[in-house]
């Protein structure tokens, strides 16, 4: 069991890879055999298709299928994009470009800490923007001006809280950024968790905004971490960002793109996002039922998203996030401590939260939640025993 005291969220996820009951990382590991058996049987043909299709044609096909799946006509019309192997690669390119322009970026907090880590590794100057500020346009404008920000980096829906910037507020933020000459950077890796679709691309292009949008496929489709991250940008930024991309990548794997297209098409045949949301809802209900009678509850104030991660309130346990994470590890249960999502203030914030992920192997998820419940109930029994011993001794 690793020492938790000085770790990032990704290091906790790495521990989870060897844990029997892994609820840590947010990648999709639902059963491809149960949900997408047809895609697996087509793999030899998909290889042939990938080998025969020119790379630019496959990249365009991937973008268009992705756009159709999410009802994003603005993306389908957009021509300025690259495709990275992972969303982290996309963020790293954004960081390299931002550093070359000496930009000061306002990044939402809380959010997954590797966004800040990647940008800081590129020596980008960051300012933490409280998540709640995105609901108050006047506060946000004053913050941007007071901190002299050059760019605003939002995650929508946000991980781990599920906070959503809806279409109306997104429009207001885009207009604000245009008026203040601010670059808007959007991480939409959890786009599939929106309950109401939003086409940021159409809005950004219509308003003439300077923007970067990065997408991800690994949170939704169980492709054993064969992923693709669509990195789109406004025309005025295209040449500089594409130049950095080409310093690192020639292209994304044609085979990976073809396989993901097949997963998207198979999902559409099962009902598209409605089918995915049904899986999320089922697993979320399992979590809630298993937490009944424990001292942990779901913190879910944001009803506009159905996240595949759950933000849990642990205050009543009397333990900090690190203490509870360490305790659960003795049961071979891996979760993420809340404090590291507060990438700029983890010394004081997030100590009363942990995060768990929902899209785990179908045949293991309920066992993992049962094990989590057992650990939490036995924690309470141990506390009751210790309290009794203390009273007797007094």
């Amino acid at each position: 069991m690793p020492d938790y005291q000085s770790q990032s969220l990704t290091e906790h996820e790495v521990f989870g890879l060897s844990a029997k009951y892994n609820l840590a990382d947010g990648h999709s590991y639902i059963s491809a055999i149960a949900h997408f058996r047809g895609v697996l049987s087509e793999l030899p043909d998909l290889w042939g298709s990938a080998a025969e299709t020119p790379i630019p044609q496959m990249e365009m096909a991937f973008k268009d299928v992705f756009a159709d799946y999410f009802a994003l006509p603005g993306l389908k019309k957009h021509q300025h994009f690259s495709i990275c192997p992972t969303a982290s690669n996309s963020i790293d390119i954004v960081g390299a470009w931002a550093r070359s322009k000496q930009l000061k970026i306002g990044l939402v907090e809380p959010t997954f800490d590797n966004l800040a880590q990647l940008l800081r590794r590129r020596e980008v100057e960051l300012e933490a923007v409280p998540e709640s500020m995105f609901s108050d346009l006047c506060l946000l404008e004053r913050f941007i001006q007071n901190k002299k920000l050059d760019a605003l980096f939002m995650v929508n829906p946000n991980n781990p809280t599920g906070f959503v910037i809806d279409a109306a507020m997104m429009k207001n933020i885009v207009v604000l950024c245009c008026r203040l000459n601010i670059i808007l950077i959007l991480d939409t890796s959890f786009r599939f968790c929106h309950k109401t679709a939003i086409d940021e691309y159409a809005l950004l292009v219509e308003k003439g905004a300077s923007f970067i949008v990065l997408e991800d496929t690994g949170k939704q489709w169980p492709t054993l971490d064969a992923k693709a991250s669509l990195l789109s940008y406004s025309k005025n930024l295209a040449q500089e960002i594409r130049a950095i991309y080409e310093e690192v990548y020639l292209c994304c794997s044609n085979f990976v793109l073809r396989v993901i297209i097949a997963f998207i098409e198979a999902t559409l045949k099962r009902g598209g996002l409605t089918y995915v949301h049904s899986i999320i809802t089922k697993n979320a209900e399992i979590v809630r039922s298993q937490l009944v009678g424990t001292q942990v509850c779901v913190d879910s104030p944001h009803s506009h998203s159905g996240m595949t991660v759950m933000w849990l309130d642990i205050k009543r346990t009397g333990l900090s996030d690190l203490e509870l994470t360490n305790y659960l590890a003795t049961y071979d249960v891996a979760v993420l401590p809340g404090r590291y999502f507060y990438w700029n203030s983890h010394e004081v914030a997030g100590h009363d939260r942990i995060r768990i992920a929902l899209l785990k192997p179908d045949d293991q998820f309920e066992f993992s939640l049962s094990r989590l419940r057992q650990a939490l109930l036995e924690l309470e029994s141990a506390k009751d025993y210790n309290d009794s011993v203390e009273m007797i001794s007094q």
Side-chain angles (χ1 to χ4, degrees), residues 251-300:
C251 60
C252 188
S253 163
N254 240 26
F255 180 61
V256 169
L257 293 182
R258 185 63 189 91
V259 169
I260 296 172
I261 289 172
F263 270 90
I264 294 174
E265 292 170 341
T267 309
L268 286 168
K269 290 177 182 176
R270 284 180 167 261
L273 285 168
T274 300
Y275 179 71
V276 176
H277 290 167
S278 71
I279 299 171
I280 298 170
T281 299
K282 175 187 174 184
N283 286 359
E285 289 171 353
I286 292 171
V287 173
R288 288 188 168 87
S289 67
Q290 290 289 353
L291 291 180
V292 171
T294 74
Q295 293 181 324
V296 173
C297 61
V298 177
D299 181 2
S300 55

